[in-house]
Amino acid sequence: MSVVGTSPFIKPMTSPSSVSPGQRRHTLPASEFRPLNTQDAISVFEIEREAFISVSGDCPLHLDEVRHFLTLCPELSMGWIEEGRLVAFIIGSLWDQDRLTTDALTLHKPHGSTVHVHVLAVHRTFRQQGKGPILMWRYLQYLRCLPSVRRAVLMCEDFLVPFYRKSGFKVLGRCAITVANLSFTEMWYPISGHAYMRRNSEAIRFPQLTSPLERPGTAGERADT
């Protein structure tokens, strides 16, 4: 998938600071958003495992699946990095049907026009700070830069439906996928028009939404992002 012209959306968010002569500058940006890669897989899985195992007993994506999607479609992932540390992430892949099926949990369909959001998770130290909603907002605006993408879909547990509604998702109905004794609601978000973020993305004001867990259940949670 072409991602030409998307770089302004994943450029580091930095704050100007005065540095006196002789004082060393920090080599890492204070905060940045970027696509993930396979080198991030272990950090991703550690955050995901801590967020989901205690709640649902399983992860939306296992470590081999994280590596799988970060190899096939890294441009559909987004990580929030603070001072070199991954604090939150989203992983997605392309899908080519109107509704999700069990194949959507493991397959990437390169010619699809739907982004399946598999998982959104926030490191436990950084929860209750609004990072989950901010990252989702940033991700959805980034998807507007991808000309072949028409919508985003996810599956979540019922208690997370209000969270995703605040992010602009609409309910499609019950999801055909079940995991163990868990059932899910399927939701969608229309991707249309041009992204409206300024090229100077540092100036963006993010919507202040809050999530009770900042751990969108699966937005793909197998049990989930």
Side-chain angles (χ1 to χ4, degrees):
M1 173 185 293
S2 171
V3 291
V4 175
T6 61
S7 57
F9 292 81
I10 52 179
K11 120 187 231 193
M13 291 178 58
T14 56
S15 301
S17 58
S18 58
V19 179
S20 59
Q23 181 179 354
R24 294 185 63 183
R25 292 178 177 270
H26 293 294
T27 57
L28 294 173
S31 183
E32 67 172 329
F33 297 87
R34 64 164 173 82
L36 300 170
N37 56 60
T38 54
Q39 293 180 335
D40 299 306
I42 292 177
S43 295
V44 164
F45 185 65
E46 287 176 349
I47 294 173
E48 181 192 25
R49 180 174 56 187
E50 187 280 329
F52 288 98
I53 289 292
S54 62
V55 176
S56 62
D58 197 5
C59 292
L61 298 175
H62 296 160
L63 181 57
D64 59 335
E65 295 167 330
V66 170
R67 289 190 173 117
H68 171 72
F69 287 119
L70 294 185
T71 298
L72 292 179
C73 47
E75 73 278 10
L76 295 176
S77 68
M78 181 175 284
W80 188 337
I81 315 297
E82 290 195 349
E83 297 183 349
R85 180 183 186 185
L86 181 67
V87 301
F89 70 88
I90 291 175
I91 292 179
S93 65
L94 284 177
W95 184 240
D96 60 359
Q97 298 181 33
D98 291 337
R99 300 293 295 268
L100 295 174
T101 70
T102 53
D103 284 345
L105 297 178
T106 56
L107 297 182
H108 168 60
K109 299 286 190 174
H111 300 295
S113 60
T114 294
V115 171
H116 174 203
V117 181
H118 290 272
V119 59
L120 181 163
V122 178
H123 191 285
R124 63 181 180 276
T125 305
F126 297 89
R127 291 183 197 143
Q128 302 303 318
Q129 298 177 22
K131 281 183 164 52
I134 290 172
L135 180 61
M136 177 60 78
W137 184 84
R138 183 86 177 213
Y139 184 74
L140 293 172
Q141 302 314 310
Y142 165 74
L143 293 183
R144 292 175 182 267
C145 293
L146 308 181
S148 64
V149 173
R150 294 292 176 264
R151 64 179 191 146
V153 298
L154 57 83
M155 48 187 273
C156 66
E157 294 180 63
D158 291 348
F159 77 96
L160 287 165
V161 168
F163 169 82
Y164 285 111
R165 283 188 187 276
K166 289 180 180 179
S167 292
F169 282 83
K170 302 176 183 178
V171 172
L172 270 175
R174 300 308 298 172
C175 185
I177 302 169
T178 58
V179 179
N181 61 341
L182 295 176
S183 61
F184 308 99
T185 296
E186 191 167 338
M187 304 186 75
W188 75 288
Y189 181 94
I191 305 294
S192 59
H194 299 290
Y196 54 81
M197 291 173 63
R198 299 184 199 171
R199 297 185 71 84
N200 180 15
S201 57
E202 293 89 342
I204 295 298
R205 289 181 178 272
F206 294 105
Q208 296 300 307
L209 305 179
T210 57
S211 163
L213 297 178
E214 290 207 70
R215 185 178 77 265
T218 174
E221 192 187 273
R222 224 87 145 245
D224 214 345
T225 35

